[in-house]
Amino acid sequence: MPPLPALFILPIDPKGSLICTQPLQRIYLLTFDSPPDNRFTPSFCTSFLLALDILDRRFPKGVVVSTSAIPKFYSNGLDYESAVKSKTFFSDSLYPLWRRLLTYPMPTIALLNGHSFAAGFMIAMMHDYRFMNPHRGFLCLNEVEFGAPLKPPMSSIFRQKLPNPNTYRTIVLEAKRFNALEALQEGIVDGLGMVPEVLKFAEEMKLVDKTKSGVYGTLKKEMWRETVGYLEDYRGSEEKAEAEMKEQKHNEEEEERRVGEWERSRGRHGSKL
């Protein structure tokens, strides 16, 4: 089968691209290719967001599917340099993209062709539906393994969308790597397959027609109000998280003081563990 003609192509610095095709009428396929593993940079987020805007403003409403041209990875998460060294990465790049996806006025499907780790897993959750390659890839939040706390919207999206709180616990606190069948059984993904299966799903669910009433995005904004609120009030949620960290540090100092007093008291009385 010859490659589909591109509706448009957007660059992703330094040597990547995002290509939009239309495999079926009003079903738009966004394929990103940012070697080596589709990490989120300001350029990646800007191009993805622009692609969503172009489809919303210049094309008939339909269904948007996102996937990767890199077989091994859907996305391997945040680009460390961008996330840690740029003070505006979350507020100006990542969160606007997540909010746009979460409240997008068309159905969205993440086609997870390969590994989706950390923020790559998170952005998949910002879509309405998820399909996973049955033969390749894992879903995983591994922040507990490298010592990165989850920011409010990073955690709330799983809390809101997962059907089982035990799955939420397993994802966050155990860093379990879910293969496709496990992800389907836990309700993390909605189906298994690649582009043909996703197209069949969209047709069977009549997703193209869901935008006719004009309230699709409004309904989603209310459904996911908690996460949308965190994404919109970035500074407020960050300040709250900072205050909570300070309180935690104070509590830890108090705990250390109490244990120290107990140890000194034990020494005076000659007690032993």
Side-chain angles (χ1 to χ4, degrees):
M1 180 179 176
L4 296 168
L7 299 180
F8 58 85
I9 301 174
L10 301 175
I12 299 175
D13 294 336
K15 296 180 180 180
S17 65
L18 188 154
I19 300 175
C20 179
T21 56
Q22 188 174 202
L24 286 178
Q25 190 69 20
R26 293 166 57 201
I27 297 183
Y28 307 106
L29 180 64
L30 298 177
T31 304
F32 38 80
D33 182 2
S34 183
D37 52 5
N38 291 327
R39 288 186 182 265
F40 299 141
T41 62
S43 179
F44 187 107
C45 295
T46 298
S47 292
F48 200 158
L49 182 59
L50 178 57
L52 295 173
D53 291 343
I54 292 170
L55 290 175
D56 185 21
R57 297 297 176 182
R58 294 294 184 267
F59 288 85
K61 295 289 189 291
V63 177
V64 176
V65 182
S66 74
T67 194
S68 166
I70 301 172
K72 187 177 179 179
F73 294 99
Y74 177 78
S75 172
N76 208 17
L78 299 180
D79 174 71
Y80 178 80
E81 295 291 324
S82 300
V84 174
K85 295 191 176 181
S86 171
K87 293 182 178 179
T88 61
F89 174 69
F90 290 96
S91 61
D92 294 351
S93 297
L94 189 66
Y95 284 5
L97 171 59
W98 283 4
R99 186 197 177 282
R100 186 72 160 121
L101 274 170
L102 196 56
T103 63
Y104 200 60
M106 307 180 208
T108 58
I109 304 173
L111 173 51
L112 310 174
N113 56 289
H115 299 312
S116 303
F117 272 54
F121 192 179
M122 295 170 197
I123 201 170
M125 296 301 296
M126 301 294 168
H127 292 67
D128 300 318
Y129 303 95
R130 284 155 295 284
F131 261 67
M132 191 169 176
N133 184 344
H135 306 298
R136 180 197 293 269
F138 292 99
L139 303 180
C140 179
L141 277 193
N142 55 345
E143 277 73 4
V144 71
E145 295 180 336
F146 59 85
L150 292 174
K151 294 178 181 292
M154 296 178 173
S155 188
S156 67
I157 192 63
F158 290 94
R159 184 167 58 248
Q160 286 196 285
K161 286 199 172 186
L162 292 175
N164 187 337
N166 289 337
T167 305
Y168 175 52
R169 178 190 65 193
T170 301
I171 288 173
V172 174
L173 298 182
E174 299 174 22
K176 177 179 171 60
R177 298 185 178 200
F178 291 84
N179 63 31
L181 184 57
E182 291 169 332
L184 182 64
Q185 291 170 339
E186 294 293 339
I188 303 171
V189 301
D190 301 278
L192 305 183
M194 294 296 283
V195 171
E197 288 75 23
V198 169
L199 297 179
K200 182 179 179 182
F201 173 79
E203 287 188 308
E204 289 177 347
M205 297 288 289
K206 296 181 171 56
L207 293 184
V208 167
D209 298 328
K210 301 303 181 188
T211 62
K212 286 182 178 178
S213 65
V215 298
Y216 199 82
T218 304
L219 291 172
K220 292 200 289 187
K221 185 175 181 179
E222 177 58 30
M223 282 176 70
W224 314 124
R225 179 191 289 189
E226 179 188 357
T227 302
V228 172
Y230 288 138
L231 293 171
E232 291 179 340
D233 184 24
Y234 167 74
R235 287 177 177 80
S237 61
E238 286 290 294
E239 288 171 3
K240 183 179 179 182
E242 249 183 62
E244 289 173 349
M245 288 184 71
K246 288 180 181 178
E247 183 180 0
Q248 180 182 340
K249 184 178 180 181
H250 171 74
N251 291 338
E252 289 173 353
E253 290 171 351
E254 282 296 296
E255 292 158 7
E256 182 63 30
R257 181 188 62 77
R258 290 194 295 268
V259 172
E261 288 181 354
W262 171 77
E263 287 176 330
R264 289 189 293 273
S265 171
R266 186 181 57 138
R268 286 196 300 269
H269 293 89
S271 60
K272 296 181 178 180
L273 288 177

